[in-house]
Amino acid sequence: MSRTTSARAGETRSGWLFVTPVVVILGLFLVAPILMAFWVSLSDWAGRGSPLSGAVTFVGGQNYTDLLGQDSLARSDFATSIRNNFYYVLLVVPLQTVLALGLALLLNQRRLKGLSFFRTSYYFPTVTSSVAIGSVFLFLFAGSGSVNALLKLVGVSGPNWFADPRGLLHLLLGAVGVGNGDEQGPAALTDHGFLSLSWWDWLAGPSVAMITIIALVIWVSAGAYMLMFLAALQNIPAEVFEAAAIDGASTWRRTVSVTIPLLRPTLFTVLTLGLIGTWQVFDQIYVMSKGNPSKTTLTPAYLAYDSSINQGAWGQGTAISFVLFAIILVMTGIQSWILRDRDKPRRRLGRAQRGGAGTGGDVGGYLATAGRQQR
Amino acid sequence: MSQTTSRTTPYGDPQDAGPAATRAAAPPPDEAKRRVGKIVGYVLLTLFALVYLFPFVIQVGTSFKTDPDATNSPLNPIPSAFTTQAYQQLFQQDFGLWFTNSVIVAVVVTAGRVFFDSLAGYALARLRFRGRQAISLGIIATMAVPGVVLLIPKFLIIKQLGIYDTYAGMIVPLLADAAGVFIMKQFFETIPVSLEEAAKLDGAGIFRTFWSVVLPVARPALITITILSFQSSWNELPHFLVSRQSPDLNTLTTGVAGLLTGALGAGNRYPLKLAAAVLMTIPVAVLFFVFQKRIIGGSLEGAVKE
Amino acid sequence: MSTRTPRPRTLRLALIASTAGALALTACSGGGGFDSGSGGGQTQAAAKGPVTITFMITSNGPADVKLQQDVVSGWEKKTGNKVNVVAASDINQQLTQGFAAGSPPDLFFTDANVFPTYAKAGNLVAYGDQVTAKDDFYPGLVKTFTYDGKFYCAPKDSSNLALVVNTDMWKAAGLTDADVPKTWADLETVAKKLTQGDRKGLVIGDTRDRIGAFMKQAGGWIVNDDQTQMTANSDANLTALKEVQKLLQSGSTAFPKGVDSGWGGEAFGKGRAAMTIEGNWIKGALKSDYPNVKYAAYELPAGPAGKGTLSFTQCYGVASASKNQAAAIDLVNYLETDAPSLQLAKGLGVIPPLKSAEAGYKAEFPDDNGFLAGSSYAQGPVTVAGMDPVLKDFDSQIGSLQTGDPKAMLDRLQKNGEAVLK
């Protein structure tokens, strides 16, 4: 045997050996659960003993049809959770992106005094636990809490945030005289609907209670995305701006027409991570509202958990998980299609100019958000 | 807090006011305009800093208040009568136990992740073996699976393996993470091969090369992984909801979440809840301030994007 | 980290060992494995010698846990067994996970709401007929814990709703004993009189467990007597919901959230409510959290159809997966004798489940007539398997009763309930 082949064999052996622990753990706790869940979602397992025992029978798509097929409480709950989460995503993703970008641009000025202080204050919430932050916001938005005290100072009597199930859109429509600004809308919208919810209910918008959770999430996650934008900003070569400056474009113009287009890859990453994260909102709901008031903060992730663990409807809970998985895939797909790079055939996210030793801006940011949103 | 030095600005010219000044195309801005822009920028930054810091100030202040004081003057962070009652109550409950559990879990998970992730990262970056590509892809694919979707199934698997409601069930599933493997792999790819060649010529085996030559060079990445692992396992909630049920295994996250959404009669004891939040934030905050250069700086160094 | 490098071979072994170790951890049997899913309700073989029983309870604080431990210590001394009392933070979640994992606590408090769901899934042992004191229980309680014709578990205690009044505020508003509300109209009047600033005259919980009392007073209820049909959309129920809506809209009444509280007792204790409708448990909560609040409890006012209140109860569930069933049932038998049940009742302020303990209870709590008065006509909870999510959904609707449409809420409850009863 020549030296090289033995070295080769050694490398193969070691290679496999080195990856085994990770492969085993990820396989056991990420891949196997998917298979197990798929089986449970097709079975009538009711939470006693093992789902793999002989007493459990195959029921086909029963759990899925209960969820999507016929009018039932399960279906209306699911539709409600999808509606809530949809409005949540609709507000959180753009707002956190804009806030993160704004903060990054502000911090990217020349000779900024106190840069590190500002950067740290915006980033700090990202490293704290969602449970701790949740408790702070529960206090801030309590009926007799800080936010209402602040509103009182300017003469506004604030709502009872966490107890207020009224939808924002309903309130706005009510203000312009559609419906009575509350439960009952015009008959044209209340008599018909989709998936057990009337059109009027679909149009509710996020409830006042959900707004508080939305505010919390934007406040927390903007810091992580800000860091990603900052990293990208610092990778933009200075020459790019010199041309624009010679043209005499104002700062604002330069930001809009030069800087932001160059941030496109990062923007793409931020939006994708935001979308994936926001469709799975769980921690904040568990800590702050448990789906109350009137199910207006119910989200698919929490509903899946609640159906399985609190109501023993395991098949339904896992079915919800799979439908949620499909939603995330589809949404991410649609979004990357909309944002696809039409000018360049290269669809890779912009490679960095400097191959320096780095933990990677996007990866770092990804992890900062991953740390809070997914494992 | 340290000042960061010598940043290169992307802007070629000296007139920078951030996006605050909204103007259409204009003649080159003069000194006065620039100054106004600068001031507006600072005002905005300060406003946001207030929005970001004030909740924490209120949190700490309120935790030293009495219950009525907390609800009567929610905007004033200074207690009218300073009391550590909330903290005493916390320790009469099982707070110490929760803290211990969180430490045990976070430390073991961090150690495991650093070791396993760097091993796998090294193999995927450097060792040539059949199936490497497939494994790389597989690991990246797992990153795309939304964590929350796996909550219930993970419980089923943990239960099936017979480690439900044990430290093993809480720790083992977290011992490796795809993102960590991926970061290590990226880093090892930037290390010059010559280092390892030299070690090989000295007759060192693969593991020894990895252990005594490559790892010491990879310190920055190791520190990053350590911080991220500690932070994520310390702050983890859903996994500990489904991997255990007995109160003895409560971590800070599950214990405090129980306080917040507790049963009848828990009431709105804000100082108690906020004191719990303060205490559970301290360890990660310390870690953050000690390593903030690495955490923030790390992601600002040459960004390796994928 | 040491940089001492062992020989490659040993290292490789160490590596294999560490992976194997992680796997070995996962392979040790701990109640997982492939057990058969059968065995609903049959008794397992008893363990030999002294055993340790895990007893999961719900509590309002450390005092409750200590009380429970004190009470079971008598049995520990008598039998030589040990009891490990565990206070649950979220008992439903913990039991569900325990059942699924095959390692539930041996003995646990089971609320009447979830009892049928557990019984149907085969998680409970139907040991009711083995209880020595079974003929001494109030018949209503036995009925509550009977599922499919089998008496499943021994009732722990019961409580009824009463009108709890802050006596200082009552006097300050110029009210006397003669003003204690006897009818809905009276209730509206005194609630209005007691409303002042950010204090409401009346605070009631926003669930069927409080609003249901108004349904009874109007002559309605969610299901018919033998729980085979939904009667949610009856006119009587609509009358009841409209009455509560009227109270809310008049500004004299609020739900707990409206006065920044978790439940009626907290609003009452904090002085944000002059009256509330709660059960006996409010006594313990006020004693521990708001010791200075003076109060009295009165029978609930009557509605158009007469008197009505709700009773709540829990039982001692024994897990069918438990290895210590015999010992657990023996412990229940001990708890269902006069002295321990009175000791618990005194400590928690609840009504013992035994008829023979009634005299002792009355002697202990002469002021509790307001709670006791309803015992003869109180309505127990709905106990239909699978109904819990439907009722929870109704609760979530009640939250917006002030501005919502009561008819739509009842129709929705009717429709969802019928789907369960089908």
Side-chain angles (χ1 to χ4, degrees):
Chain A
M1 214 206 287
S2 79
R3 230 189 107 134
T4 46
T5 37
S6 81
R8 251 298 156 70
E11 260 186 56
T12 301
R13 238 196 342 263
S14 312
W16 276 102
L17 199 63
F18 280 21
V19 295
T20 301
V22 169
V23 169
V24 166
I25 290 167
L26 293 182
L28 263 182
F29 299 106
L30 278 171
V31 183
I34 298 176
L35 303 175
M36 175 77 116
F38 195 61
W39 160 244
V40 169
S41 78
L42 300 174
S43 78
D44 67 348
W45 185 66
R48 251 182 70 71
S50 162
L52 302 177
S53 75
V56 179
T57 47
F58 175 79
V59 296
Q62 182 74 51
N63 290 313
Y64 291 89
T65 49
D66 285 352
L67 209 57
L68 305 165
Q70 53 206 258
D71 185 24
S72 67
L73 180 61
R75 190 173 84 161
S76 93
D77 278 356
F78 181 65
T80 306
S81 75
I82 293 287
R83 176 200 66 186
N84 299 338
N85 213 150
F86 172 76
Y87 285 118
Y88 170 90
V89 172
L90 203 67
L91 282 176
V92 171
V93 175
L95 288 175
Q96 75 184 8
T97 309
V98 168
L99 179 59
L101 182 59
L103 291 175
L105 289 169
L106 281 174
L107 288 177
N108 199 42
Q109 298 170 63
R110 253 175 81 143
R111 291 195 295 269
L112 181 73
K113 290 194 182 63
L115 167 83
S116 116
F117 163 76
F118 288 127
R119 207 171 49 189
T120 305
S121 6
Y122 307 151
Y123 187 74
F124 185 64
T126 308
V127 300
T128 52
S129 116
S130 51
V131 177
I133 298 275
S135 87
V136 177
F137 271 67
L138 278 172
F139 177 67
L140 294 179
F141 282 97
S144 60
S146 319
V147 171
N148 279 356
L150 202 62
L151 288 172
K152 209 180 258 172
L153 289 181
V154 294
V156 179
S157 122
N160 208 318
W161 296 93
F162 291 108
D164 200 335
R166 290 173 305 166
L168 197 64
L169 277 179
H170 278 181
L171 290 171
L172 292 175
L173 287 168
V176 297
V178 181
N180 60 7
D182 218 80
E183 304 305 308
Q184 298 108 15
L189 290 172
T190 51
D191 294 350
H192 307 283
F194 169 65
L195 279 185
S196 309
L197 280 198
S198 72
W199 292 119
W200 178 245
D201 284 338
W202 280 107
L203 284 175
S207 69
V208 176
M210 186 58 114
I211 298 279
T212 57
I213 294 176
I214 288 173
L216 174 145
V217 172
I218 293 171
W219 183 82
V220 169
S221 47
Y225 296 126
M226 170 200 78
L227 217 52
M228 290 166 68
F229 281 126
L230 259 183
L233 280 170
Q234 310 206 337
N235 276 331
I236 298 176
E239 307 82 79
V240 174
F241 293 94
E242 277 156 21
I246 290 164
D247 290 347
S250 71
T251 313
W252 177 248
R253 268 291 295 281
R254 256 181 302 137
T255 305
V256 170
S257 49
V258 181
T259 315
I260 291 179
L262 283 170
L263 288 177
R264 198 191 175 93
T266 313
L267 194 67
F268 179 87
T269 313
V270 167
L271 287 172
T272 307
L273 290 176
L275 200 65
I276 294 172
T278 47
W279 270 106
Q280 310 182 53
V281 55
F282 174 88
D283 287 23
Q284 289 81 5
I285 306 292
Y286 180 89
V287 170
M288 295 169 78
S289 71
K290 302 236 159 159
N292 292 324
S294 302
K295 296 191 176 173
T296 56
T297 60
L298 195 64
T299 62
Y302 183 77
L303 182 64
Y305 170 86
D306 188 58
S307 308
S308 301
I309 300 274
N310 293 333
Q311 297 166 20
W314 294 87
Q316 213 144 65
T318 46
I320 292 170
S321 299
F322 275 103
V323 177
L324 176 61
F325 194 11
I327 289 174
I328 293 175
L329 282 181
V330 170
M331 290 278 166
T332 321
I334 292 175
Q335 188 235 25
S336 42
W337 184 78
I338 292 175
L339 289 179
R340 72 191 183 284
D341 228 334
R342 290 185 191 78
D343 330 325
K344 295 190 205 122
R346 222 176 94 244
R347 282 276 248 40
R348 297 297 297 257
L349 295 175
R351 274 219 164 273
Q353 316 300 320
R354 315 174 351 213
T359 48
D362 279 2
V363 173
Y366 168 80
L367 277 165
T369 49
R372 15 185 67 265
Q373 289 169 333
Q374 55 192 127
R375 209 72 63 243
Chain B
M1 282 187 211
S2 64
Q3 284 286 337
T4 319
T5 48
S6 72
R7 285 175 59 251
T8 52
T9 170
Y11 295 131
D13 74 336
Q15 303 126 7
D16 276 326
T22 31
R23 287 163 304 176
D30 56 6
E31 199 62 30
K33 267 188 180 162
R34 216 175 62 205
R35 204 168 296 149
V36 168
K38 199 110 184 138
I39 289 169
V40 171
Y42 273 115
V43 168
L44 279 174
L45 283 168
T46 312
L47 270 180
F48 278 113
L50 271 179
V51 169
Y52 269 87
L53 293 178
F54 200 57
F56 290 109
V57 174
I58 287 193
Q59 175 189 357
V60 175
T62 309
S63 69
F64 290 106
K65 286 183 176 183
T66 57
D67 287 16
D69 188 14
T71 38
N72 293 338
S73 52
L75 263 184
N76 181 3
I78 297 150
S80 61
F82 186 88
T83 169
T84 54
Q85 194 188 345
Y87 290 91
Q88 288 162 15
Q89 280 173 347
L90 270 186
F91 283 97
Q92 282 161 8
Q93 305 200 354
D94 290 337
F95 197 84
L97 175 79
W98 303 342
F99 203 91
T100 314
N101 282 338
S102 274
V103 170
I104 292 170
V105 171
V107 167
V108 177
V109 166
T110 305
R113 274 195 189 183
V114 169
F115 184 60
F116 292 142
D117 290 353
S118 48
L119 266 183
Y122 181 70
L124 296 177
R126 277 285 194 270
L127 303 178
R128 285 151 309 179
F129 59 97
R130 280 181 62 168
R132 185 175 78 161
Q133 282 298 349
I135 289 177
S136 281
L137 278 178
I139 290 177
I140 289 175
T142 59
M143 275 165 63
V145 180
V148 166
V149 169
L150 291 176
L151 263 195
I152 305 304
K154 205 157 50 166
F155 161 76
L156 298 173
I157 294 285
I158 287 172
K159 176 179 94 63
Q160 201 69 40
L161 293 169
I163 51 171
Y164 174 70
D165 212 16
T166 61
Y167 280 119
M170 293 161 75
I171 291 170
V172 175
L174 302 180
L175 278 180
D177 71 315
V181 173
F182 186 63
I183 288 187
M184 291 314 293
K185 171 175 175 282
Q186 296 274 352
F187 191 88
F188 289 132
E189 281 168 352
T190 65
I191 296 175
V193 185
S194 50
L195 273 178
E196 289 150 87
E197 299 291 338
K200 273 207 184 105
L201 287 176
D202 291 349
I206 292 176
F207 188 85
R208 200 170 130 195
T209 308
F210 163 76
W211 188 258
S212 41
V213 178
V214 181
L215 269 194
V217 185
R219 228 177 119 155
L222 289 177
I223 292 177
T224 304
I225 296 250
T226 305
I227 294 163
L228 291 170
S229 304
F230 186 87
Q231 182 195 319
S232 75
S233 50
W234 184 267
N235 293 340
E236 173 66 50
L237 169 72
H239 173 71
F240 298 139
L241 286 176
V242 297
S243 59
R244 46 147 290 283
Q245 58 114 357
S246 72
D248 300 347
L249 292 178
N250 258 328
T251 60
L252 278 173
T253 44
T254 55
V256 176
L259 269 188
L260 295 181
T261 58
L264 203 70
N268 290 340
R269 285 142 68 192
Y270 291 118
L272 181 78
K273 295 169 181 178
L274 292 171
V278 169
L279 290 177
M280 74 192 289
T281 308
I282 288 175
V284 276
V286 167
L287 199 73
F288 174 70
F289 287 119
V290 169
F291 290 106
Q292 77 162 314
K293 264 233 173 68
R294 161 111 0 246
I295 297 172
I296 292 183
S299 37
L300 293 180
E301 276 168 25
V304 182
K305 297 173 204 162
E306 197 44 49
Chain C
M1 273 194 206
S2 87
T3 47
R4 204 175 52 83
T5 46
R7 302 222 324 277
R9 181 174 303 258
T10 34
L11 254 170
R12 193 169 299 155
L13 281 174
L15 205 57
I16 293 170
S18 70
T19 309
L23 287 177
L25 275 177
T26 65
C28 64
S29 77
F34 299 75
D35 56 315
S36 74
S38 66
Q42 84 245 14
T43 318
Q44 307 239 350
K48 297 275 179 292
V51 293
T52 299
I53 294 224
T54 312
F55 184 9
M56 187 176 279
I57 68 167
T58 49
S59 78
N60 285 333
D64 293 3
V65 183
K66 192 180 170 307
L67 172 74
Q68 198 73 46
Q69 270 160 342
D70 291 349
V71 172
V72 298
S73 66
W75 180 77
E76 286 177 322
K77 283 195 196 80
K78 204 176 83 175
T79 60
N81 294 331
K82 280 262 162 289
V83 181
N84 177 19
V85 177
V86 177
S89 56
D90 182 342
I91 196 161
N92 274 3
Q93 176 194 322
Q94 284 164 287
L95 287 176
T96 309
Q97 291 188 8
F99 293 142
S103 56
D106 302 298
L107 188 65
F108 44 87
F109 288 3
T110 307
D111 204 78
N113 286 327
V114 293
F115 150 77
T117 309
Y118 293 168
K120 187 182 176 186
N123 288 317
L124 299 177
V125 181
Y127 70 89
D129 293 338
Q130 303 173 40
V131 179
T132 331
K134 94 171 163 246
D135 297 329
D136 195 14
F137 293 131
Y138 292 105
L141 297 178
V142 173
K143 189 177 145 197
T144 298
F145 293 113
T146 300
Y147 178 80
D148 228 2
K150 283 196 289 241
F151 177 31
Y152 264 81
C153 54
K156 182 173 83 75
D157 52 43
S158 71
S159 326
N160 304 317
L161 294 181
L163 184 71
V164 184
V165 172
N166 182 314
T167 44
D168 291 341
M169 294 177 186
W170 189 260
K171 285 197 196 89
L175 296 165
T176 62
D177 281 354
D179 296 305
V180 173
K182 296 276 180 288
T183 64
W184 283 0
D186 296 349
L187 184 65
E188 291 166 28
T189 313
V190 295
K192 201 136 206 86
K193 273 199 180 133
L194 288 164
T195 304
Q196 201 181 68
D198 69 356
R199 181 184 88 201
K200 294 285 182 188
L202 174 66
V203 169
I204 37 176
D206 52 357
T207 65
R208 85 261 180 189
D209 290 338
R210 303 290 177 277
I211 310 300
F214 286 83
M215 291 183 177
K216 289 302 289 182
Q217 292 153 14
W221 184 236
I222 300 167
V223 288
N224 66 351
D225 249 5
D226 59 3
Q227 308 201 103
T228 52
Q229 278 185 330
M230 292 298 290
T231 55
N233 59 359
S234 67
D235 291 346
N237 287 340
L238 187 60
T239 311
L241 256 55
K242 282 196 165 143
E243 174 64 23
V244 178
Q245 190 173 43
K246 185 172 158 193
L247 281 166
L248 290 166
Q249 288 173 347
S250 75
S252 68
T253 304
F255 288 142
K257 284 238 153 140
V259 289
D260 229 13
S261 308
W263 63 295
E266 190 194 341
F268 188 79
K270 284 199 305 203
R272 299 289 308 268
M275 300 188 290
T276 185
I277 294 176
E278 287 292 340
N280 311 41
W281 51 81
I282 195 174
K283 295 188 300 180
L286 290 174
K287 195 164 73 182
S288 65
D289 292 353
Y290 309 99
N292 304 327
V293 176
K294 294 196 196 59
Y295 63 95
Y298 301 105
E299 199 173 2
L300 290 181
K307 290 181 178 179
T309 187
L310 304 180
S311 81
F312 297 93
T313 177
Q314 292 180 306
C315 75
Y316 295 113
V318 174
S320 47
S322 157
K323 303 273 182 293
N324 307 318
Q325 283 167 8
I329 294 167
D330 189 58
L331 172 55
V332 174
N333 267 326
Y334 170 81
L335 292 171
E336 299 288 12
T337 51
D338 285 6
S341 80
L342 257 179
Q343 192 184 348
L344 279 172
K346 276 180 206 165
L348 303 169
V350 290
I351 305 167
L354 304 165
K355 286 181 277 195
S356 57
E358 189 172 324
Y361 176 79
K362 278 191 168 151
E364 180 69 29
F365 296 116
D367 298 341
D368 266 14
N369 281 336
F371 293 111
L372 271 173
S375 286
S376 56
Y377 57 84
Q379 167 73 50
V382 177
T383 50
V384 177
M387 197 58 91
D388 203 40
V390 172
L391 297 170
K392 279 209 179 92
D393 180 68
F394 180 52
D395 287 349
S396 79
Q397 298 280 309
I398 293 174
S400 50
L401 183 58
Q402 185 165 348
T403 51
D405 173 10
K407 176 117 188 52
M409 293 176 192
L410 291 168
D411 287 340
R412 181 178 169 131
L413 172 61
Q414 179 79 14
K415 186 186 80 174
N416 291 331
E418 278 170 354
V420 173
L421 286 174
K422 244 196 335 238

